[in-house]
Amino acid sequence: MKRKLLVASGNKGKIKEIESYLENLDENTRFEIIGLSQYPNLPEVEEDGDTFTANALKKARERAKETGLLTLADDSGLVVDYLKGAPGVYSARYAGEKATDKDNNKKLLDELKGIPVDRRSAHFKCVLALVDPDTEKEIIVEGKCEGIIGIEPQGDKGFGYDPLFFIPKFNKTMAELPLKLKNKISHRANALKKMKEELMERYKELF
């Protein structure tokens, strides 16, 4: 019998990435990946932490308590060196509480207007937190992806700041990369790789 693993996110882009990675944990895996769509009446979790780790843990703990399921939550965002780490934990609401990706991208470009490419370094950071309500076991891992903030949006395959996040190695923005490649090199992919190793080590009975 497969054990359910709840991906505690309402962001469809994130869920797609995480499910795409975790569904391939192992050909004999006994995890069943489910999303929050199966729990439409759960209250919103207030992301009031001042770090990615604090927010990821809070979401994982609350959803695990509410559902009784092994729960995986993430908090991730863009860290721009010139802006001293902004937008950081406020990445999703950089231009306001109801900001769209387009709004956030516009604000970021405005903040960096006139700044040369060599001063537009940035990285995406992802912290994943796994909480097991049965054993109170908690696992925290993080991943990064280095890049540069472009001058204008390019690509339509991603979400969030992907159209502005240029990766020199591929000469493309994150939003121009196919999902298969993105799932190998993104901050979330790097964190998921570490989480996969933790899952296979700590839940050996499910493999």
Side-chain angles (χ1 to χ4, degrees), residues 51-61 73-75 127-129 131:
T51 65
F52 294 117
T53 298
N55 285 330
L57 258 180
K58 182 177 182 180
K59 285 185 284 187
R61 285 169 176 167
D74 95 311
D75 196 42
V127 173
L128 287 174
V131 172

Side-chain angles (χ1 to χ4, degrees), residues 79 81 120-124 145-149 164-168:
V79 177
D81 297 322
R120 298 169 78 100
S121 59
H123 66 267
F124 274 126
C145 181
E146 304 286 345
I148 297 168
I149 303 304
L164 291 178
F165 194 78
F166 182 79
I167 304 176

Side-chain angles (χ1 to χ4, degrees), residues 175-189:
E176 293 178 300
L177 299 177
L179 183 60
K180 188 174 182 179
L181 177 56
K182 180 180 178 180
N183 280 348
K184 290 182 179 180
I185 59 96
S186 75
H187 54 307
R188 194 165 294 109

Side-chain angles (χ1 to χ4, degrees), residues 3 16 18 20 30 32 43 48 57 79 84-85 101 103 117 130 134-135 156 159-160 165 183 185 195 198:
R3 182 171 184 184
K16 185 177 180 180
I18 292 172
S20 176
R30 293 189 176 86
E32 177 187 351
D48 52 4
L57 258 180
V79 177
K84 299 180 180 179
D101 288 348
D103 295 332
V117 173
L130 184 92
D134 295 338
T135 63
D156 57 8
F159 61 95
F165 194 78
N183 280 348
I185 59 96
M195 183 59 74
E198 291 285 348

